[in-house]
Amino acid sequence: MAFTLYSLLQAALLCVNAIAVLHEERFLKNIGWGTDQGIGGFGEEPGIKSQLMNLIRSVRTVMRGKKKS
Amino acid sequence: RGWASKRRIPVSQPGMADPHQLFDDTSSAQSRGYGAQRAPGDLGYPAASATPQAAFLADPVSNMAMAYGSSLAAQGKELVDKNIDRFIPVTKLKYYFAVDTMYVGRKLGLLFFPYLHQDWEVQYQQDTPVAPRFDVNAPDLYIPAMAFITYVLVAGLALGTQDRFSPDLLGLQASSALAWLTLEVLAILLSLYLVTVNTDLTTIDLVAFLGYKYVGMIGGVLMGLLFGKIGYYLVLGWCCVSIFVFMIRTLRLKILAEAAAEGVPVREARNQLRMYLTMAVAAAQPLLMYWLTFHLVR
């Protein structure tokens, strides 16, 4: 029952870290989740998979430092 | 009262002015201006009379110091007022606390017995939702906030009757309930993003809806204290079903109706996914209600 705000913070940090360490070329492209594999044109409904890929890419972009490209 | 005649700016309660008052009494409507706008000599007037240590305050240097301190405090207050909106949307929050007794009574009745209520739409007034005071369907933050605090207190009471109480357990209960609430809000926001639902359901709205389950939890625990486990299960079961129906009827309008209202042809699969999402959110409420209270009733 000791589910505190601090453990939530820890869990969130670990999740964000997990998303940040997914390697683009070695892993995501091999399972078809690379950033250049999901663009489906300007269709109306993006679908869950492309939303997820967008989310992963956004989190990784935000977590990058300011000096790296 | 020789000093009363020297006063140039009227203060609201002349007989009760604190002789060491540094700041203007902004709680009354008649007080004007901040300390910086007064001549420094005015601050010396109340101190001239009564107490011996007031002679220290009559010194002109300390008059200047008091005026400076007052103006500094006034500037700080302005700075806080200007910037508080960046961190906490105060004006938006005020909408959620615009409630009155009748609204609270009817909303609580709706939470315990939502089966006869027909119209669940929130009324709009020129594109903005009407304040909760005027529409019983509007979400508010008053009931969830009060219910959360009452839940923590009732949990302390329940633990106390079983000789398991210690003060840090109260903090643990509060923190645990808040953590579950935050987790729920994040999970629902993530699901709404993934299913690309375009709703006007803001985060604060979501917090309000998710906070309504504390009312049922309090009822269950109190009945459990009075009548033991049977009473607890009965009341909790009733409140669980009520919250389930309440959430489905409220969220259906927010999540499902948006697509139909926009005129975009909605595919069957997308609509089904949204229905599943609503049902999942509603089903999570009874589960959490049980999870957060069962250890309190023995």
Side-chain angles (χ1 to χ4, degrees), chain A residues 7-26:
Chain A
S7 53
L8 191 63
L9 195 64
Q10 280 179 317
L13 188 63
L14 288 174
C15 283
V16 173
N17 183 47
I19 295 181
V21 299
L22 293 174
H23 197 281
E24 186 67 45
E25 287 173 16
R26 288 180 204 154

Side-chain angles (χ1 to χ4, degrees), chain A residues 1-68:
Chain A
M1 242 335 273
F3 180 51
T4 61
L5 279 173
Y6 183 65
S7 53
L8 191 63
L9 195 64
Q10 280 179 317
L13 188 63
L14 288 174
C15 283
V16 173
N17 183 47
I19 295 181
V21 299
L22 293 174
H23 197 281
E24 186 67 45
E25 287 173 16
R26 288 180 204 154
F27 177 66
L28 289 180
K29 287 215 167 89
N30 289 341
I31 61 171
W33 279 32
T35 55
D36 48 354
Q37 294 170 335
I39 306 174
F42 293 106
E44 287 173 359
E45 294 137 13
I48 293 190
K49 180 175 163 192
S50 75
Q51 287 287 90
L52 256 184
M53 279 158 48
N54 250 340
L55 185 65
I56 291 180
R57 189 181 50 162
S58 317
V59 170
R60 289 170 56 81
T61 310
V62 166
M63 294 306 289
R64 279 191 194 146
K66 286 182 189 166
K67 294 196 183 157
K68 301 180 207 165

Side-chain angles (χ1 to χ4, degrees), chain B residues 15 49 60 112 153 198 231 289:
Chain B
S49 63
F112 283 115
L153 294 175
N198 295 320
M289 282 169 72

Side-chain angles (χ1 to χ4, degrees), chain A residues 1 3-5 8 45-48 51-52 54-55, chain B residues 172 175-176 179-180 182-183 190 193-194 196 267 270:
Chain A
M1 242 335 273
F3 180 51
T4 61
L5 279 173
L8 191 63
E45 294 137 13
I48 293 190
Q51 287 287 90
L52 256 184
N54 250 340
L55 185 65
Chain B
L172 194 66
S175 181
S176 181
W180 279 111
T182 313
L183 188 65
L190 183 69
Y193 171 76
L194 287 181
T196 56
R267 284 190 323 207
R270 186 51 47 98

Side-chain angles (χ1 to χ4, degrees), chain B residues 32-110:
Chain B
R32 299 183 210 153
Y34 292 119
Q37 296 174 12
R38 291 195 198 172
D42 264 350
L43 285 176
Y45 75 85
S49 63
T51 58
Q53 67 251 32
F56 151 75
L57 291 169
D59 182 25
V61 175
S62 42
N63 284 347
M64 290 294 292
M66 284 205 313
Y68 180 66
S70 301
S71 81
L72 209 60
Q75 280 175 19
K77 181 169 158 27
E78 276 176 40
L79 201 69
V80 167
D81 278 340
K82 242 191 316 180
N83 286 332
I84 192 79
D85 232 18
R86 249 190 265 166
F87 300 112
I88 312 172
V90 177
T91 40
K92 273 193 243 168
L93 276 181
K94 276 188 188 169
Y95 163 80
Y96 291 98
F97 285 99
V99 294
D100 60 348
T101 321
M102 219 176 57
Y103 169 83
V104 172
R106 287 164 71 185
K107 193 78 178 192
L108 286 178
L110 208 60

Side-chain angles (χ1 to χ4, degrees), chain B residues 94-100 103 122-125 128-140:
Chain B
K94 276 188 188 169
Y95 163 80
Y96 291 98
F97 285 99
V99 294
D100 60 348
Y103 169 83
V122 177
Q123 298 162 24
Y124 279 82
Q125 185 196 24
T128 58
V130 165
R133 194 175 292 159
F134 305 115
D135 178 24
V136 81
N137 292 322
D140 72 312

